[in-house]
């Protein structure tokens, strides 16, 4: 099947016209409802006809008898449907190279009308991938006329013909998706001017470039969406000014991949409409001796920024970037440091109004938080109606982060009603002072969910089981706690039993004469209690807890 023919994809030995199955016609009517009926029956969800400017199209939709098969539809509408089909095909996760052109050929073989539409519509020929032959690429280039082009490459090896073809036609490129084995295979492509480029995703498996690239030679004024992985770039050359979404990840490489925060912030300052920024560094290799300057410049305002995610950039760089920005619309802040740091002071105890404001906003209308506490890591996740903040920091002293949160946001934490607590590994004798301070701040919590807390069970039990004295009276932590779920309670049965005895079992001194001892003030009784695996693995302990809190509470909790 030659592509150089004047009428490509001609069916051999047949001039018949094939149609699809008929569909039930919409109700006959000349009312405006006909238009929405056709859209619902013949278009994909979310796709509409748009304004009707062609009198012929309008007259056809207003006929007494509406289309009974897809080939009775107006040409403009059928063309849109075919575009939707092709866009969905190349959007499938399993779609490989060549699938677009193969589908285009198959659609052209359905009938003479479809072949004519595909042959005469330039936009159908604007998607070119690296599996196409040189002859096919040249043919599609001619057929696409002046339409913006889409270049696609998926796989380890990329032919020189496709690379050269794409590079020579970057001035017409609208969308670029390129996943080479080596970053150098994409280098020449990324350095060519691309004035019409709107979206670009370049993901290399290996970074073999030492010198950072000047993106599109500074000529990508229409670029809105940029994703780069293992592709070093020159931040000091600035970023495309129309960017709305930026994702840069190095994964592997050498130190110094990301420059110091002032250079990154200066590059972002030119993208006044940017909404999403995601930066992922190299962990320990990103740690540097950079420190906050004594005299700080005014924060750079990014009024449209809604999502900021920084991972493994080192706490100094992360803090420097966040602390140098002003983003009134920010709703999602994600800071993650997988590698251990000696101290979180550069992130927490330097002027960082954006971090403080983001946490306060997220806590303002939030009922639930997630805490993950380990011997050398601490995760704090808040997801409220006004935004989300995720802090996951590997540090040698996790209490530092817990204590900071408890002190800075005590007035907000006291309003939280549900806590999901997970314990990581623990060091022998570790006290978890930061966790205790956070639990003290979360004093009005009513729901406590613990999927796994064995390493920190001792600290948790001490907090819940032992009252504290205030104004000559005994007080209990979390007095409003009514719902408890310990999924791994069977791993620490004695500690669990101790907690319920101390917290909920009546004191013997209550039966003695008045005036002897100190009266025990009880917290609220439980409404539900779930003890994972306790009934089957420790039945006697389970029955004793049931006696203390009431069997009806355990029944309500279920899953024992």
């Amino acid at each position: 099947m030659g592509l150089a023919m004047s009428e490509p994809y001609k069916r051999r030995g047949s001039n018949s016209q094939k149609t699809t199955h008929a569909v039930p016609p919409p109700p006959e009517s000349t009312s405006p409802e006909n238009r929405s009926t056709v859209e619902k029956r013949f278009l994909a969800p979310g796709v509409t006809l748009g304004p009707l400017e062609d009198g012929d199209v309008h007259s056809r939709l207003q006929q007494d008898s509406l289309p009974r098969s897809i080939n009775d539809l107006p040409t403009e509408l059928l063309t849109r449907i075919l575009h939707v089909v092709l866009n969905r095909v190349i959007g499938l996760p399993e779609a490989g190279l060549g699938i677009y052109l193969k589908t285009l050929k198959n659609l052209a073989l359905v009938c003479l009308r479809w072949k004519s539409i595909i042959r005469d519509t330039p936009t159908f020929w604007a998607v070119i991938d690296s599996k196409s032959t040189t002859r096919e690429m040249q043919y599609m280039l001619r057929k696409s006329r002046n339409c913006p082009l889409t270049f696609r490459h998926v796989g380890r090896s990329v032919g020189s013909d496709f690379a050269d073809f794409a590079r020579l036609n970057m001035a017409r490129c609208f969308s670029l998706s390129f996943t080479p084995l080596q970053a150098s295979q994409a280098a020449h492509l990324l350095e060519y001017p691309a004035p019409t480029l709107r979206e670009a995703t370049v993901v290399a498996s290996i970074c073999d470039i030492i010198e950072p690239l000047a993106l599109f030679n500074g000529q990508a004024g229409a670029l809105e969406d940029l994703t780069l992985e293992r592709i070093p770039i020159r931040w000091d050359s600035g970023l495309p000014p129309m960017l709305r979404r930026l994702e840069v990840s190095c994964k592997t490489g050498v130190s110094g991949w990301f420059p110091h925060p002032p250079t990154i912030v200066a590059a972002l300052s030119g993208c006044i409409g940017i909404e999403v920024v995601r930066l992922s560094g190299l962990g320990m290799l990103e740690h540097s001796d950079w420190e906050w300057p004594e005299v700080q410049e005014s924060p750079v305002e990014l009024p449209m920024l809604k999502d900021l995610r920084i991972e493994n950039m080192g706490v100094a760089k992360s803090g420097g970037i966040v602390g140098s920005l002003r983003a009134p619309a920010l709703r999602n802040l994600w800071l993650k440091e997988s590698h251990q740091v000696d101290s979180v002071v550069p992130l927490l105890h330097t002027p960082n109004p954006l971090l403080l404001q983001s946490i306060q906003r997220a806590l303002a209308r939030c009922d639930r938080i997630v805490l993950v506490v380990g011997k050398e890591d601490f995760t704090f996740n808040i997801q409220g109606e006004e935004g989300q903040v995720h802090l996951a920091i590997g540090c040698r002293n996790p209490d530092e982060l817990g204590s900071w949160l408890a002190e800075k946001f005590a007035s907000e934490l006291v309003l939280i009603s549900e806590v999901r607590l997970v314990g990581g590994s623990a060091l022998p004798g570790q006290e978890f002072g930061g966790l205790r301070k956070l639990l003290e701040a979360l004093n009005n919590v009513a729901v406590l969910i613990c999927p796994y807390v064995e390493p920190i069970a001792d600290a948790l039990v001490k907090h819940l089981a032992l009252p504290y004295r205030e104004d000559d009276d005994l007080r209990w932590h979390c007095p409003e706690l009514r719902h408890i779920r310990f999924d791994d309670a069977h791993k620490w049965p004695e500690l669990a039993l101790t907690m319920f005895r101390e917290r909920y079992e009546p004191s013997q001194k209550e039966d003695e004469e008045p005036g002897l001892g100190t009266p025990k003030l009880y917290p609220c009784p439980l409404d539900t209690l779930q003890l994972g695996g306790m009934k089957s693995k420790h039945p006697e302990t389970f029955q004793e807890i049931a006696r203390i809190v009431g069997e009806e509470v355990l029944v309500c909790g279920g899953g024992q």
Side-chain angles (χ1 to χ4, degrees):
M1 188 180 297
L3 282 171
M5 299 167 54
S6 59
E7 291 185 3
Y9 319 136
K10 185 175 182 180
R11 174 177 288 183
R12 296 178 181 176
S14 175
N15 291 322
S16 61
Q17 183 170 343
K18 179 181 178 182
T19 60
T20 60
H21 293 88
V23 296
E28 296 183 2
S29 172
T30 57
S31 66
E33 282 74 12
N34 276 352
R35 177 177 171 82
S36 61
T37 303
V38 171
E39 291 177 340
K40 292 179 180 178
R41 287 179 178 265
F42 297 107
L43 295 185
V47 179
T48 61
L49 289 174
L52 288 175
E53 300 176 356
D54 192 324
D56 294 335
V57 177
H58 186 270
S59 63
R60 291 197 62 177
L61 289 177
Q62 296 299 325
Q63 290 176 355
D64 292 337
S65 178
L66 286 172
R68 293 181 176 273
S69 77
I70 193 170
N71 267 347
D72 291 330
L73 291 173
T75 298
E76 291 83 352
L77 181 53
L78 181 54
T79 301
R80 293 192 183 195
I81 293 174
L82 294 177
H83 271 302
V84 170
V85 171
L86 288 164
N87 288 335
R88 288 195 172 186
V89 166
I90 63 175
L92 295 173
E94 64 272 16
L97 292 177
I99 188 66
Y100 180 87
L101 187 56
K102 180 180 179 181
T103 305
L104 192 65
K105 293 178 180 180
N106 290 336
L107 291 174
L109 291 173
V110 170
C111 63
L112 291 176
R113 187 182 181 212
W114 287 27
K115 183 178 77 171
S116 176
I117 291 174
I118 291 173
R119 179 190 61 201
D120 298 333
T121 306
T123 50
F124 284 123
W125 303 94
V127 179
I128 304 174
D129 66 38
S130 59
K131 193 172 182 179
S132 302
T133 64
T134 302
R135 185 184 180 190
E136 289 172 331
M137 288 188 289
Q138 293 295 342
Y139 180 81
M140 297 179 78
L141 184 65
R142 290 196 304 272
K143 295 290 291 183
S144 64
R145 300 178 189 173
N146 293 321
C147 291
L149 300 175
T150 294
F151 295 134
R152 298 178 67 241
H153 168 73
V154 180
R156 298 175 68 85
S157 60
V158 53
S160 58
D161 290 347
F162 175 77
D164 293 340
F165 178 86
R167 184 170 65 252
L168 293 175
N169 291 280
M170 279 301 291
R172 283 182 55 189
C173 184
F174 173 87
S175 176
L176 175 66
S177 179
F178 207 70
T179 59
L181 173 63
Q182 298 174 323
S184 58
Q185 295 173 323
H188 296 302
L189 199 61
L190 290 172
E191 290 184 315
Y192 259 65
T196 63
L197 187 64
R198 295 287 294 275
E199 56 186 24
T201 299
V202 183
V203 178
S205 300
I206 300 173
C207 179
D208 59 343
I209 299 177
I210 298 178
E211 292 296 325
L213 305 177
L215 283 175
F216 307 110
N217 198 27
Q219 301 180 53
L223 186 59
E224 295 183 354
D225 191 326
L226 177 62
T227 299
L228 299 174
E229 188 169 311
R230 300 184 181 91
I231 305 290
I233 62 173
R234 288 190 57 182
W235 291 86
D236 57 352
S237 297
L239 294 169
M242 298 301 291
L243 272 182
R244 299 173 66 88
R245 184 182 186 278
L246 173 67
E247 184 170 351
V248 180
S249 173
C250 51
K251 303 291 185 180
T252 57
V254 296
S255 60
W257 183 290
F258 285 99
H260 286 164
T263 306
I264 296 176
V265 173
L268 291 172
S269 66
C271 308
I272 197 67
I274 199 162
E275 298 178 5
V276 178
V277 175
R278 295 182 178 179
L279 308 175
S280 181
L282 291 165
M284 291 298 294
L285 292 178
E286 292 294 346
H287 290 215
S288 66
D289 56 359
W290 181 83
E291 295 181 358
W292 282 74
E294 293 184 4
V295 179
Q296 299 177 30
E297 298 182 2
S298 300
V300 170
E301 181 164 355
L302 299 178
M304 304 299 291
L305 184 62
K306 298 179 177 65
D307 187 313
L308 176 60
R309 178 176 298 198
I310 304 176
E311 298 186 23
N312 297 325
M313 294 277 286
V315 292
K317 283 186 176 180
S318 298
I321 295 171
V322 177
S324 300
L325 295 176
R326 183 176 181 272
L330 189 66
R331 290 297 177 268
N332 184 19
L333 177 62
W334 182 294
L335 301 177
K336 181 178 180 180
E337 191 66 37
S338 299
H339 300 272
Q340 293 178 10
V341 297
D342 292 329
S343 175
V344 292
V345 168
L347 175 64
L348 305 180
H349 298 287
T350 49
N352 206 325
L354 183 57
L355 176 61
L356 297 176
Q357 293 165 7
S358 298
I359 297 176
Q360 288 172 341
R361 183 188 295 119
L363 286 171
R365 299 182 65 184
C366 172
D367 296 326
R368 173 184 176 185
I369 66 170
V370 178
L371 298 173
V372 181
V373 183
K375 64 180 180 181
E376 294 179 338
D377 62 276
F378 194 102
T379 298
F380 182 71
N381 184 275
I382 323 160
Q383 187 165 1
E385 295 182 20
E386 299 295 328
Q388 178 181 6
V389 174
H390 181 87
L391 299 178
I393 310 295
C395 49
R396 301 191 187 283
N397 183 15
D399 284 344
E400 194 173 30
L401 180 55
S403 299
W404 178 80
L405 290 166
E407 294 168 4
K408 286 287 185 180
F409 307 100
S411 59
E412 290 86 4
L413 292 172
V414 75
L415 302 176
I416 300 298
S417 61
E418 180 176 333
V419 173
R420 185 179 182 90
L421 179 63
V422 180
S425 57
L427 295 171
Q430 191 168 7
E431 292 297 327
F432 293 104
L435 173 62
R436 290 201 309 274
K437 291 182 179 179
L438 265 177
L439 291 175
E440 289 173 2
L442 294 161
N443 203 42
N444 286 326
V445 63
V447 181
L448 179 61
I449 300 174
C450 301
Y452 176 74
V453 289
E454 182 185 10
I456 61 173
D458 185 64
L460 178 61
V461 165
K462 287 180 179 178
H463 180 79
L464 295 176
L466 300 178
Y468 63 96
R469 185 172 295 278
E470 182 179 281
D471 298 331
D472 295 331
D473 288 327
L474 290 178
R475 296 286 185 266
W476 291 87
H477 295 292
C478 306
E480 302 297 324
L481 184 60
R482 292 180 177 274
H483 307 271
I484 295 179
R485 195 181 96 192
F486 293 144
D487 289 350
D488 65 339
H490 63 279
K491 296 183 178 181
W492 40 283
E494 294 303 321
L495 282 174
L497 179 58
T498 298
M499 189 206 77
F500 289 109
R501 278 177 173 167
E502 293 293 333
R503 187 175 176 90
Y504 298 107
E505 190 171 35
S507 172
Q508 293 182 356
K509 293 183 179 180
E510 292 181 350
D511 299 330
E512 298 177 0
E513 297 180 8
L516 295 178
T518 302
K520 183 173 182 179
L521 302 177
Y522 293 99
C524 291
L526 289 176
D527 291 338
T528 63
L529 173 62
Q530 183 173 343
L531 301 173
M534 185 74 82
K535 185 175 182 179
S536 59
K537 296 183 178 181
H538 305 281
E540 294 182 359
T541 302
F542 178 82
Q543 291 300 326
E544 179 64 13
I545 294 175
R547 181 190 65 79
I548 296 172
V549 300
E551 292 185 2
E552 70 282 357
V553 172
L554 289 161
V555 171
C556 293
Q560 307 301 332

